[in-house]
Amino acid sequence: MARAQKPKQSRRPQAKSLKQNNLRGFAKRQSLKSQRSSKYSESSDVYEYQPENVRRSKVKLQLEKDELDGARRDISGSEDEDDGPKRNGLRPRLVGENDDEGGLGSDEDEEIDSDEAFDESDEERFAGFNFSTKTKSVAKRKPQKRSLQSQNASASEGEDSAADDEEEGDPEDFIDVLDMIDGKGPAESADEGEHTQKEERPSASKARVEGDDVPHLEDEDEDMHDEEDEGISSDESEEDESHISPMDDAISASGDEDDDVGTSLHDLQSFITNLDAGQKRKAPDDEAAPTTETGEARRQKRRMLKERTEAGEENEFAPHRGATKLNLDDLLNPLASSSSNLLSLKKSAKILTSISAKNQTLSAPLPQRTQERLDREAAYQQTKEEVDKWSATMKKIKEAEHLSFPLQAQPAGRTSNLELAAKFKPTTELESAVDRLLKSAKMREEDIAQTESLKMNHLSVEEVSARRAELAKMRELMFRAEAKAKRVAKIKSKTYRRIKKKEKAKIAAKLGEGSDDEDMNEETRMKHEVERARERATLKHKNTGKWAKAMRARGDLDEDQRRDISEMLSRGEKLRRRIQGIGSGDESEEGEDDTEDDEEGAADRIKASAFEELAQLDKGSEGEEDSGRKGKSIFEMKFMKDAIARDQQRAKQMADDFVREMGESNHEDDEDDELTGGRIEESSGATIERVGGRVTYRPGAQQSQLRTVNSLASDTSSITLRSNDLPSDVARSVTPSATSPIPEKLGIATEAPNPWLAPRQDPAKAVPKKHEIAVSKDSASVEKSKNKLRKKAQKHEEEQSKARNDAAVDISMSNVMTLGDNSSAGPSKPKTRSQSGNQRDDGDDDSDVHSEVEEQERLLDRKGKGKANGVKAFEQRDLVARAFAGDNVVRDFAEAKRREMQEDAPKEVDTTLPGWGSWGGTGTRKAQPKPHLIKKVAGVDPTTRADYKKAHVIISEKRDKKAAKYMVKDLPYPYTSKAQFERSMDIPIGTEWNTRVGFQRGTLPKIVTKPGTVINPLEKLL
Amino acid sequence: MVKISVLQHAPSTHLPARPGDPTPTSRNLDPLMHPFARARERTRALNAVKMERIFAKPFIAALEGHVDAVETMARKPGTLNVVASGSWDGGMIVHDISLRRHILRVDEAHKGKISGVCFADEDRLLTCGVDRNVKLWDTREVDENGAGPSDVRKPLNVFPGKSAFNSIDHHRTDPIFATASNIVQIWDETKSAPISNLSFPTSIETISAIKFNLSESSVLASIGSDRTFTLYDIRTGKAERRIVMQMRSNALSWSPTFPTTILLASEDHNLYTFDIRSLKTPSQIYKAHVAAVMSCDWSPTGHQFVSGGWDRTVRIWQEGRGTAPEVYHTKRMQRVTSTLFTSDAKYVLSGSDDGNIRIWKARAHEKLGILDSRERAAIEYRESLKQKWKTDAQVNKISRTRHIPKPVHKAGQLKRTMLEAQRVKEERRRKHTRAGESKPTAEKRKVVIAEQS
């Protein structure tokens, strides 16, 4: 501060003088203006004063100071007079009013007051610029800025300008001194501009004072009026200022620029001004009248007043007519050159100023550097915004999976048919020939149009219009129908479709009724046939369907549903009957049973149907016999008859066999499932049948039927389940194909001494067995007479079905097996139990394995209940046990696993060398192992092993070096999870594993550039 | 007649019906039927990447003509083959790179080095030099005066300046160009004096390079000796923003597809991309050079760029991937002072201290010439295999390995050592300060010292 003070003080007088000189003309004009406006405002507009008052209250300080200054005040007032009007005169020409407003800001003024001494140089320059730059607002702003800058950096500039004005500036020296006496510190840069304005304001008031002499200028603008207001307010502000200035000095001595200080000062000042407001408001008016004489008197005392007028003369804007008089023309002349909108601008600015003055004070124009920085900031923001318009495009490019450069290449437009047709001109011979033909036939487009128009010619207007209307209607209808069809086709609702279908069917049925039956007969039958087939296929007749199940699950049913169900049942019944040929009471009963239990029901039904067939066969044969007697053919001959009888006999036997077997199996089923479906009472312990005194083994004549039984079972059950079904199957089955795979599977599944493994050893025994027991001695007692015949028949059969014999071997095998099973059930039970117990002891609680074992146990139990053939079973067991003696696979496995786990487990190894580092001899105690000699091997904790709690596997935890080559250490970058990465690596991309299109899509490079194509940078497109 | 049984192939089952049709396949596309698909593809990827290395022969040709180092190069917009270059000896040559001959050669275009070359519209070329002149040339082989390529050419126009020019760039559409000396000047082609001066106030520096933005063509950027990067806009007529970095930049280039992105080749061996909307940190740092990067240029696709360094290597970078660029070098190539991408993004030019301009393939293993569709499909397949299997250690290693000159390798090692030492030191320093006192700064945050507005 102190440093800055000196040059500023020196400069100050010059500044003031310059200001005077330059602005005198303005002062005059302003005075006139103010005069006029004050009158105007007093007379008419009350509101004009209000803002002014407020503002005044704020700006008061300055005026007060002036008042305090006494003598100086007068002079300064006169000076200000000069300044103020001039500035105000320039103002309308400003494009941006900010500077002026800034000047008006009373807060800053107050701050400045303390620093008054500083400002003068800037004032000068400012004034000078004002003077020289007559028109442009920008021009005016510029000097201001410069002045601001000068505070920071260059004192030289100010001095230069000051040098010119020194002669004139003499009188101002007084004022400066006074200021100094007041204790005003050097002003900071920012305040200078305002200071000038501050100075101007009193001048305005002065001008008004002067204006008393001058005639009123009614036609002046409101703007002027406003200016004048400002003048008044500034007067008062100066007065206020004088009050506070001492305080200001005290505070601002530290540094006025600080905002904090400024704001605090502002607060204080505003407070004070509020206190004073009432008084001060009147002050200017009071002043106005009396000061005219006194002020002039004072002025006359000073020489400089004259000088000022001289300076005014030089100004274009202050035409010098008389000493004090100003004409309206003088004021209007420069205004006339300016545009009218400038005036309107002024008007709007007036409002602005009034508001701003009311509410807040305006900041001083910023230092140039700051201003420029702000400008740059704004410009940068602008550029950023502009550039940011590309962001969407850039994002799109960034995210694109495939880019084909150049990006903005114009897509080759497609030519329409019309375009082609319009352009077309026949060039080749063929084309021209065709064209000629068309021309001659008058079939070209234009010809067709012509003919149409010709035809239209001899129609009346009404007709044409009617036609057109009809056509339009048709088109409309067609279009609507089409649209509707489209809409309907889009409906996805199933219920809608169903309803639609039913409707259609109804309509069709109605139509069918209408038409004669003979015609439709074939067709309808076909339809019915198809319907039935579909019904069968969809199981609509059965209660296994989705709908039926849902119905069953539902419980309570209403009338319709009950009816539906009953209908379904009856239909199923009918169908079943159809399958079985005839309907019978038994069947119907069974059918009802079926509804209760599906699986069994299905089997039973088929069985039943088989029986039915048999019965029919019998009947048929009888019938045939009856009918055969009548005919006279080769069949009538004796040998033929014999043969037929034999055949029938055989068939009967087969039927008997079958019936027995089925009956037996039915019994088993009964035991298993407590079903009361069996109608065949006959039961036999074994499938080895004694027929006609001989034990025979029948190859599967009924194979096909029984197979269905098996297949049914296998369809519904998994492998383990199949083992569940096994006993009944095995018992039932005569088919080798059904039985043979099952033991194998079981063999895999079950544990070491497995009774199910037995049949594997047996077949060799079993095969001869069959042949051995072909005719047994026991059978002789049964029926000798028929034996011969049967023998023959058997021979014949053997000849015929040699192929089947192999299968028969299997049958016998299965029989043996079942026997064994039955017998072994009792003793095997505890054994398996114990074994499973062993497993548990080993610590393997794998339910998967055990479940199967247990399952079989249970089966065996069940078997045991059914039939016990103790001795045989025992033998079997024994045999198996002997065969697999010492073959403890499970235990071995468990042991191996335990060993593995133990090896891998973390452990501590004591690496102490006995004798080293310890005392020897008698009486020494064994030392504790030293901790540093205990090596800890970090292994794999058993609980963290992959095969933990998996009894049946050993998963090695050792690192596979060869596999490690293909491993990835970390998850590669774009992937977020292991699964994701694995999935991406799983899918091969080559042609061998993809379709052609898939391959192309998968291998399309991200960026495609064509060789020889210029790629231009992105452009803004219209 | 003896009947001969032959193996018969119905051509319809295994041959395309028409030439150009795809060959009908009779394969089972069920993945379960191909348990070894993965293994096979990996092997193929390995082969592909090996093949890539085998066929990586990027060098195509060297264009001679300059006596001294090639300081600057410029491609003619809208053409593939015309490239102008200026040299330290003041010679200017316009090359036809496809025919490898000179379209125009002016030996004494400027006194002293030619510091900047750029094409004005069509056939006219602007050069600026340290002789404080900007000259406008007609590059047609036979100009209006009938002077052929071998004759002594006179410039169409000379724009005298007040100080030595360091760089020149032409506006993309308007007849305006900008020069960089100690200030940035905007010139009109029709006026002999600059139409405006742009400078960041309070900066007294030498502007070393200037470039117009390609898409937002009123935006300009310059780099200066004060380690600065400055952004201008000729609409607002202002230097808008400036950043001061750790080290000065040697070259700059605007991205052609990302208009906000600018690339700076820095003296500190790195390249930086900045988003001009936020200049506080670079958007990416590209580290691989082992000496100052002297020049850089974007590929027209904006997904690659080339840089030439004081370490005598040319490197081709993928945008957004800060390491492991493709490295080109030859025994006789000296410091690379200028680099350029051709406008089809297929070739790279490098002008070096030895006075040659070298033409390289932008992708070292690319097959030149016409490809039929099968071959292209195979190439694409190989590429995607490489891409897919790049995580595989073996594949990655092969694709990554480059043999570079020993000095470069050694310099790289040294640099790594130094950086590591620095890092360790910093770490230790941090360890011995009070906890939380000093936090490690991100590498990106270290680049810009100050952002000035």
Side-chain angles (χ1 to χ4, degrees), chain A residues 372-434:
Chain A
E372 276 180 6
R373 194 197 301 139
L374 289 179
D375 286 353
R376 282 199 300 272
E377 192 76 47
Y380 178 57
Q381 290 304 329
Q382 205 65 31
T383 306
K384 243 187 185 163
E385 269 170 35
E386 194 67 25
V387 167
D388 205 40
K389 286 174 190 167
W390 286 101
S391 57
T393 314
M394 292 194 291
K395 188 162 175 273
K396 222 159 99 189
I397 293 172
K398 273 247 162 81
E399 286 170 356
E401 276 184 23
H402 306 290
L403 288 169
S404 176
F405 284 91
L407 291 173
Q408 289 178 323
Q410 293 295 325
R414 281 186 185 175
T415 48
S416 65
N417 285 344
L418 270 177
E419 203 179 344
L420 283 175
K423 275 183 190 170
F424 178 76
K425 266 181 187 168
T427 48
T428 61
E429 213 170 290
L430 177 70
E431 280 170 5
S432 52
V434 169

Side-chain angles (χ1 to χ4, degrees), chain A residues 35-167:
Chain A
Q35 198 78 11
R36 183 205 60 81
S37 59
S38 68
K39 290 207 169 169
Y40 172 73
S41 58
E42 277 167 61
S43 59
S44 60
D45 202 347
V46 188
Y47 296 101
E48 281 296 319
Y49 275 100
Q50 283 188 327
E52 168 194 325
N53 289 342
V54 177
R55 203 188 309 156
R56 207 194 295 152
S57 67
K58 275 185 182 172
V59 190
K60 227 175 289 167
L61 274 176
Q62 294 173 334
L63 244 188
E64 285 236 326
K65 195 208 292 164
D66 278 20
E67 283 169 356
L68 277 181
D69 285 347
R72 182 225 155 204
R73 194 205 132 221
D74 241 15
I75 298 155
S76 68
S78 61
E79 286 170 356
D80 296 343
E81 230 177 316
D82 294 355
D83 286 357
K86 200 165 240 178
R87 241 191 115 247
N88 291 340
L90 256 186
R91 247 175 104 199
R93 295 169 197 203
L94 293 177
V95 177
E97 244 90 350
N98 288 335
D99 298 2
D100 293 45
E101 285 169 23
L104 282 175
S106 55
D107 295 344
E108 258 86 43
D109 286 4
E110 286 153 2
E111 279 179 50
I112 296 153
D113 292 330
S114 60
D115 316 321
E116 230 175 304
F118 178 91
D119 303 345
E120 299 315 311
S121 67
D122 298 288
E123 270 174 55
E124 293 168 300
R125 237 181 312 128
F126 178 47
F129 275 113
N130 261 350
F131 204 79
S132 58
T133 61
K134 288 154 194 173
T135 48
K136 289 288 169 183
S137 65
V138 184
K140 196 190 167 188
R141 215 194 311 171
K142 221 178 190 178
Q144 242 178 337
K145 273 187 201 162
R146 209 173 284 174
S147 70
L148 297 174
Q149 203 177 20
S150 67
Q151 301 152 355
N152 292 351
S154 64
S156 62
E157 268 185 66
E159 279 169 275
D160 293 339
S161 58
D164 305 328
D165 311 318
E166 256 182 59
E167 304 109 73

Side-chain angles (χ1 to χ4, degrees), chain A residues 750-803:
Chain A
T750 50
E751 313 304 326
N754 195 343
W756 300 101
L757 287 172
R760 267 190 199 165
Q761 303 168 319
D762 286 357
K765 275 186 207 167
V767 174
K769 215 181 190 176
K770 183 238 169 185
H771 295 292
E772 277 169 24
I773 319 172
V775 180
S776 73
K777 296 288 176 215
D778 309 344
S779 61
S781 62
V782 182
E783 238 183 284
K784 283 254 164 133
S785 57
K786 280 188 180 178
N787 212 359
K788 262 184 189 175
L789 203 140
R790 199 162 294 146
K791 215 176 190 178
K792 260 185 192 174
Q794 214 150 24
K795 225 179 234 172
H796 182 71
E797 190 192 359
E798 267 170 62
E799 279 170 19
Q800 279 188 338
S801 60
K802 245 178 190 174

Side-chain angles (χ1 to χ4, degrees), chain A residues 377 380 383 388 992 1020, chain B residues 44 216 240-241 276-277:
Chain A
E377 192 76 47
Y380 178 57
T383 306
D388 205 40
E992 290 90 337
K1020 275 182 189 166
Chain B
R44 282 179 195 175
E216 201 61 52
E240 294 183 342
R241 188 143 286 218
I276 57 165
R277 292 171 293 179

Side-chain angles (χ1 to χ4, degrees), chain A residues 499-551:
Chain A
I499 291 162
K500 243 326 194 235
K501 210 190 265 172
K502 268 182 193 168
E503 266 177 25
K504 224 181 242 175
K506 248 181 217 170
I507 290 165
K510 260 182 196 170
L511 286 176
E513 277 171 29
S515 65
D516 43 337
D517 288 336
E518 267 95 272
D519 245 14
M520 293 297 285
N521 219 359
E522 202 70 11
E523 230 175 74
T524 45
R525 221 191 306 143
M526 266 309 280
K527 204 183 250 175
H528 283 306
E529 217 55 45
V530 166
E531 216 169 79
R532 204 178 308 134
R534 191 169 293 145
E535 203 176 83
R536 242 176 277 154
T538 54
L539 298 174
K540 250 191 184 166
H541 57 283
K542 277 175 83 179
N543 54 358
T544 50
K546 210 192 263 177
W547 177 80
K549 271 178 189 166
M551 281 298 152

